[in-house]
């Protein structure tokens, strides 16, 4: 199943992020936390370069 990551999955791998955060910082944090490649790819292709909150990350990754 290659659906977008759920908000719960995202926050699991982005725990401890300081917001606002750049996309690059979040990608690096997700990798450091052992996120699977599809989650990292979803973050990398999110339509924004920075995020103000975890909800904003979830929305961008979900394509919302």
């Amino acid at each position: 199943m290659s659906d977008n990551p759920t908000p719960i999955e995202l926050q699991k791998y982005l725990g401890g992020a300081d917001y606002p955060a750049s996309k690059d910082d979040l990608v690096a944090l997700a990798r450091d936390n052992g996120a699977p490649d599809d989650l990292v790819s979803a973050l990398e292709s999110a339509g924004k370069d920075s995020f103000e909150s975890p909800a904003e990350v979830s929305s961008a990754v979900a394509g919302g």
Side-chain angles (χ1 to χ4, degrees), residues 2-64:
S2 61
D3 290 342
N4 289 332
T6 66
I8 293 168
E9 287 176 306
L10 280 170
Q11 297 319 312
K12 174 180 173 183
Y13 294 110
L14 297 179
D18 291 321
Y19 292 91
S22 73
K23 178 165 52 177
D24 290 343
D25 287 345
L26 294 178
V27 167
L29 179 61
R31 283 196 175 116
D32 289 348
N33 287 338
D37 290 341
D38 58 341
L39 187 142
V40 173
S41 294
L43 270 175
E44 288 175 329
S45 60
K48 301 183 69 152
D49 290 326
S50 65
F51 302 92
E52 298 296 320
S53 69
E56 201 171 280
V57 177
S58 297
S59 177
V61 170

